[in-house]
Amino acid sequence: MKEKKVQKLIKRVFDIVASLLVLVSFLPVWVIVALFIKITSTGPIFFLQDRPGLNKKIFKVYKFRTMKPGSEKMVKGHEVMKDDNRITTIGKFLRRSKLDEIPQVLNVLKGEMSLVGPRPERVESLSDYTNEMSKRLYMNPGMSGLAQVSGNIYLSLEDRYKLDVYYVEQYSLWLDLRIIIRTIGVVLFGEEKYVDKCLVEINLGFTEVAGTKEENA
């Protein structure tokens, strides 16, 4: 238990240092992205939405807006896919490159999020949580997570929850490092490349990807 506390303290220090570096180094990119969003579509530059964090505490998550105004209403378990016509032209690039998530370093600096952890869901999802699923709220949500580097939107909601709970229960700095490294690969090659390449030994049932049906694990 003491070892876990030390690791989480190191995790928090790393979050602060890394977020400050990203905030400063990406500042010119923020300006360019903001200009493109404003020029290519109507609506605000940033997208803010209430999300449940550690122990169900509600906070506002920050993102660059990638969808047309009025498109924020989505059905639980049905993710926004790459060819979704609600996504703006610049939004497709931002989502593919993960640049739309960069403003969340502000959430990390505020202690509402971490660089790595279960992705924050919509508040409405809490009503469907079982005791097992609620374990994903025992740690701060992350900008990236185990589910995000194991197929993400190509996985079933159940499998993503399973990966989130595994992460919380088996947390270690080594697992965080592996997720961060894999996140770089996801940015470069896309989420679909890692659907059947989970970082941990866990039984998942994979879904169809790009017309090809993956075998059940």
Side-chain angles (χ1 to χ4, degrees):
M1 184 66 72
K2 183 178 180 181
E3 181 184 350
K4 290 285 187 181
K5 287 183 178 180
V6 172
Q7 290 195 65
K8 289 181 180 180
L9 177 60
I10 295 173
K11 176 183 176 74
R12 179 57 186 152
V13 172
F14 179 78
D15 279 346
I16 294 172
V17 173
S19 296
L20 285 173
L21 288 174
V22 171
L23 184 61
V24 174
S25 60
F26 274 77
L27 196 55
V29 178
W30 285 52
V31 175
I32 294 172
V33 169
L35 287 173
F36 270 102
I37 291 175
K38 207 64 182 173
I39 292 172
T40 58
S41 66
T42 58
I45 293 172
F46 295 102
F47 173 71
L48 279 68
Q49 191 174 59
D50 287 343
R51 299 288 174 94
L54 179 64
N55 298 322
K56 298 184 180 181
K57 183 177 180 181
I58 306 301
F59 71 99
K60 288 194 179 297
V61 69
Y62 306 122
K63 294 181 66 173
F64 280 123
R65 182 176 59 82
T66 61
M67 301 182 73
K68 300 169 184 176
S71 301
E72 65 277 358
K73 184 71 174 178
M74 284 172 266
V75 180
K76 179 189 174 186
H78 295 273
E79 302 297 333
V80 180
M81 304 303 281
K82 291 185 293 185
D83 58 349
D84 197 305
N85 59 16
R86 294 172 297 175
I87 303 175
T88 63
T89 303
I90 185 64
K92 292 178 181 178
F93 169 74
L94 295 177
R95 282 176 171 267
R96 173 61 185 82
S97 63
K98 303 299 182 184
L99 285 174
D100 64 316
E101 310 282 355
I102 292 298
Q104 287 167 30
V105 296
L106 296 174
N107 292 118
V108 175
L109 285 172
K110 292 167 66 177
E112 298 166 333
M113 291 181 64
S114 176
L115 293 179
V116 180
R119 284 295 295 165
E121 287 201 304
R122 290 170 182 79
V123 176
E124 293 79 9
S125 298
L126 293 178
S127 60
D128 297 326
Y129 273 27
T130 62
N131 290 335
E132 182 69 11
M133 290 158 56
S134 293
K135 292 178 181 178
R136 71 190 302 278
L137 300 171
Y138 291 176
M139 290 185 70
N140 271 341
M143 291 182 65
S144 183
L146 186 56
Q148 282 61 53
V149 299
S150 301
N152 197 20
I153 61 175
Y154 298 101
L155 297 176
S156 68
L157 192 59
E158 180 184 358
D159 282 344
R160 275 177 274 162
Y161 284 149
K162 193 182 297 184
L163 286 166
D164 289 340
V165 172
Y166 178 97
Y167 171 81
V168 172
E169 293 182 334
Q170 305 297 325
Y171 170 73
S172 70
L173 289 174
W174 172 237
L175 181 56
D176 266 14
L177 180 60
R178 293 170 65 198
I179 292 173
I180 290 172
I181 293 173
R182 175 67 74 86
T183 300
I184 297 173
V186 169
V187 171
L188 293 176
F189 305 113
E191 295 173 336
E192 63 272 16
K193 298 293 183 182
Y194 297 95
V195 172
D196 57 350
K197 298 181 177 66
C198 188
L199 278 178
V200 297
E201 293 294 329
I202 186 171
N203 186 41
L204 300 176
F206 296 115
T207 55
E208 291 187 8
V209 180
T212 302
K213 192 173 183 179
E214 302 291 338
E215 295 182 358
N216 288 336

